[in-house]
C-alpha cells in the first residue's frame, strides 16, 4: 500500500451531478479516505468546490465571469467547504487542516520548503490537510489555474507515491465517450506525448475549471517527480480503495522516474549559490556513512544564499563533494560554523532542523 497519497476531488465529483455540494457523496468519499487513514496511509486531499459552495450560498446569482467575481464566490464558499469537511471527517475522529496555496507560495525554493514543511508536519501529527487554491487573493499571474495541476504540485511537495484524480469520467478514452459510443477506455499510459494530449476533451459540467487536458498535464507534472497518477470515476463505490489496491480501474499513468532520481536531476541541474567547506570527519560521514551534513562539520561558508538554495559542499582542498539544499541561509550558516545541532535555537532563536543539509536533499558528486 502506498505510504503517501494525494487525492484530488473535482467539483463534478463533490456535487454528484447537481448544482451544489452533495453531502451524501462527500460523506462516502470521507469514509473511503478514513479507511486508508486508519491503515496508516498519509493522505492529502486537494479539493475543488469553494466556488460551487459560494454560488449555492448566494442563491446562484447572475455574475460576470470575471476573476473578482470568482474570488468573491470563493471567499463565501471556502469557509463553508472546510466546515463541511471538518464535520464529515469528525465522524471518523479525523482532524482536518485547511491549506490555501497559490503558485507564488511555491514559486521560490523558500516558499516551496515552507509549504512542504507545513504539509509534512500536519501529516506527522495525524492531521488531514485539505488543500485548495487561494482564489480570494490570487491574481492571474500567481494562480495555478486548476486543482488538477495544484494536486500535482502538492504531490511533488510531499513526495507522494500516488496521485488520484477523481472525476466524472471513467478515465482517458480513445475518443470522447460522450459523443462517440465506440470510444475505448485506455487502462495504461506509459509515456505522455502529443498523441495522448490529442485525446483530451473539455470539461463537461461547466462547474469546474479542469477538463481531461489538465488531468494529463497533472499526470505529466507528477510523473516528473516520480509519482504515479490514476484518473478514476469518483462516483464508483470504493473507488479510492480500488485504485490503491492497483485494481484495473480508470487510467493509470506511469512515472518515468522515481523520487530519488527526480530530486537528483533537479539538484544536479541547479547552479550552486554558495559553498560549504567541511572538515575531514564530515567528509568521511558524508561520503562513506550516508550521513546528513551537520553544522558542526562546517569550517567555512562562501557566497550569499537563501534558505532552500542549492549549495555546493567541498573539502578543505576545495574539491566539490556534493550539492544539496541548505536548511539555513548564508548569514545563519556562518553563525552555525562548528556549532552542535543542539545549540541552533540558542544561537539563532529558531530552528529548521538539526541538519545544515538533510541527506534526502543531498547528492554526492
Amino acid at each position: 500500500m502506498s505510504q503517501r497519497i494525494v487525492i484530488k476531488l473535482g467539483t463534478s465529483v463533490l456535487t454528484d451531478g447537481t448544482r451544489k455540494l452533495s453531502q451524501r457523496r462527500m460523506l462516502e468519499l470521507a469514509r473511503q479516505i478514513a479507511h486508508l487513514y486508519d491503515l496508516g496511509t498519509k493522505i492529502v486531499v486537494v479539493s475543488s468546490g469553494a466556488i460551487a459552495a459560494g454560488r449555492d450560498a448566494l442563491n446562484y446569482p447572475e455574475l460576470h465571469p470575471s476573476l473578482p467575481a470568482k474570488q468573491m464566490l470563493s471567499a463565501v464558499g471556502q469557509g463553508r467547504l472546510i466546515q463541511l469537511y471538518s464535520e464529515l471527517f469528525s465522524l471518523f475522529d479525523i482532524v482536518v487542516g485547511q491549506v490555501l496555496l497559490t503558485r507564488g507560495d511555491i514559486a521560490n525554493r523558500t516558499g516551496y520548503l515552507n509549504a512542504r514543511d507545513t504539509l509534512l508536519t500536519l501529516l506527522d501529527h495525524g492531521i488531514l490537510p485539505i488543500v485548495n487554491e487561494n482564489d480570494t487573493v490570487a491574481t492571474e499571474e500567481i494562480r495555478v489555474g486548476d486543482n488538477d495541476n495544484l494536486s500535482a504540485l502538492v504531490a511533488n511537495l510531499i513526495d507522494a507515491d500516488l496521485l488520484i484524480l477523481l472525476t466524472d469520467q471513467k478515465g482517458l478514452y480513445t475518443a470522447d465517450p460522450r459523443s462517440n459510443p465506440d470510444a475505448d477506455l485506455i487502462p495504461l499510459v506509459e509515456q505522455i506525448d502529443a498523441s495522448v494530449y490529442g485525446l483530451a476533451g473539455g470539461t463537461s459540467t461547466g462547474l469546474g475549471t479542469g477538463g481531461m487536458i489538465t488531468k494529463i498535464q497533472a499526470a505529466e507534472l507528477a510523473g516528473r517527480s516520480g509519482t504515479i497518477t490514476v484518473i478514476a470515476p469518483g462516483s464508483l463505490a470504493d473507488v479510492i480503495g480500488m485504485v490503491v489496491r492497483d485494481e484495473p480501474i480508470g487510467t493509470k499513468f506511469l512515472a518515468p522516474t522515481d523520487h530519488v532520481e527526480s530530486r537528483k536531476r533537479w539538484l544536479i541541474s541547479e547552479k550552486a549559490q554558495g559553498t560549504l567547506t567541511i572538515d575531514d570527519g564530515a567528509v568521511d560521514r558524508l561520503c562513506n556513512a550516508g550521513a546528513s551534513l551537520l553544522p558542526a562539520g562546517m569550517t567555512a561558508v562562501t557566497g550569499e544564499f537563501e534558505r532552500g538554495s542549492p549549495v555546493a559542499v567541498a573539502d578543505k582542498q576545495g574539491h566539490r563533494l556534493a550539492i544539496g539544499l541548505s536548511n539555513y541561509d548564508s548569514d545563519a550558516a556562518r553563525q552555525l560554523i562548528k556549532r552542535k545541532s543542539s545549540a541552533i535555537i540558542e544561537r539563532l532563536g529558531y530552528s529548521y532542523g538539526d541538519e545544515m543539509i538533510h541527506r534526502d536533499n543531498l547528492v554526492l558528486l
Side-chain angles (χ1 to χ4, degrees):
M1 180 175 293
S2 299
Q3 295 301 305
R4 291 180 183 171
I5 300 175
V6 175
I7 302 173
K8 185 264 179 176
L9 304 177
T11 301
S12 61
V13 172
L14 296 175
T15 58
D16 200 21
T18 67
R19 291 206 301 173
K20 64 180 183 180
L21 298 177
S22 169
Q23 295 190 34
R24 177 179 295 182
R25 170 56 54 194
M26 293 178 69
L27 176 60
E28 168 58 20
L29 293 168
R31 182 197 64 78
Q32 296 179 43
I33 293 169
H35 176 68
L36 292 178
Y37 177 95
D38 290 341
L39 295 176
T41 307
K42 295 185 182 297
I43 301 169
V44 176
V45 173
V46 177
S47 176
S48 301
I51 292 177
R55 290 187 195 278
D56 180 43
L58 298 178
N59 198 25
Y60 308 97
E62 293 292 333
L63 298 173
H64 187 275
S66 63
L67 181 59
K70 293 179 180 178
Q71 290 173 322
M72 178 193 71
L73 292 172
S74 179
V76 173
Q78 188 63 53
R80 294 169 180 265
L81 179 65
I82 196 64
Q83 179 181 3
L84 181 54
Y85 273 123
S86 181
E87 293 172 351
L88 292 175
F89 279 105
S90 69
L91 299 175
F92 304 96
D93 297 322
I94 297 175
V95 177
V96 304
Q98 179 175 245
V99 180
L100 300 177
L101 295 173
T102 68
R103 186 177 295 277
D105 294 325
I106 50 182
N108 62 75
R109 197 62 189 170
T110 299
Y112 178 97
L113 288 177
N114 287 336
R116 175 185 171 91
D117 289 347
T118 298
L119 289 171
L120 293 181
T121 301
L122 288 168
L123 293 175
D124 288 342
H125 286 79
I127 299 170
L128 177 67
I130 307 292
V131 180
N132 199 348
E133 185 162 18
N134 195 359
D135 290 317
T136 59
V137 299
T139 63
E140 291 291 353
E141 289 76 17
I142 63 173
R143 293 185 72 237
V144 177
D146 64 87
N147 279 338
D148 292 324
N149 278 289
L150 178 60
S151 66
L153 292 173
V154 170
N156 176 282
L157 281 169
I158 69 167
D159 288 340
D161 303 287
L162 177 64
L163 169 61
I164 303 175
L165 303 175
L166 296 184
T167 182
D168 57 354
Q169 296 295 313
K170 293 182 179 180
L172 180 64
Y173 282 79
T174 55
D176 190 340
R178 295 164 296 187
S179 58
N180 188 340
D182 296 324
D184 294 321
L185 179 68
I186 301 173
L188 179 66
V189 175
E190 298 185 9
Q191 181 179 356
I192 297 176
D193 54 23
S195 64
V196 174
Y197 275 106
L199 300 173
T203 178
S204 60
T205 63
L207 294 172
T209 57
M212 190 57 66
I213 193 166
T214 63
K215 291 169 178 58
I216 297 174
Q217 290 171 347
E220 184 174 25
L221 176 58
R224 292 174 186 168
S225 304
T227 301
I228 293 171
T229 299
V230 176
I231 301 174
S235 60
L236 186 65
D238 196 31
V239 59
I240 297 174
M242 294 175 69
V243 172
V244 171
R245 293 190 296 269
D246 202 24
E247 296 181 18
I249 179 176
T251 301
K252 180 178 183 179
F253 294 81
L254 299 182
T257 184
D258 60 33
H259 296 303
V260 175
E261 288 183 353
S262 175
R263 180 167 294 174
K264 285 182 177 180
R265 288 179 183 178
W266 184 87
L267 283 171
I268 292 173
S269 67
E270 289 295 300
K271 180 181 179 181
Q273 303 299 307
T275 300
L276 307 179
T277 303
I278 61 177
D279 60 29
D280 293 339
V283 170
D284 180 62
R285 290 188 294 272
L286 207 67
C287 297
N288 301 319
S292 299
L293 176 60
L294 302 180
M298 295 191 304
T299 61
V301 176
T302 305
E304 303 297 326
F305 51 87
E306 297 181 352
R307 173 178 180 251
S309 297
V311 295
V313 180
D315 61 20
K316 291 186 295 186
Q317 289 73 40
H319 301 134
R320 281 197 175 191
L321 307 173
I323 187 168
L325 301 179
S326 175
N327 278 338
Y328 297 90
D329 63 29
S330 52
D331 290 338
R334 291 187 177 94
Q335 296 183 60
L336 296 178
I337 290 174
K338 305 302 292 182
R339 300 279 179 173
K340 292 183 178 180
S341 297
S342 58
I344 291 176
I345 293 181
E346 178 182 354
R347 185 68 177 175
L348 301 179
Y350 60 88
S351 173
Y352 289 121
D354 292 343
E355 307 86 2
M356 189 65 202
I357 301 177
H358 193 279
R359 183 69 191 187
D360 290 345
N361 294 324
L362 183 141
V363 180
L364 293 176
L365 303 177

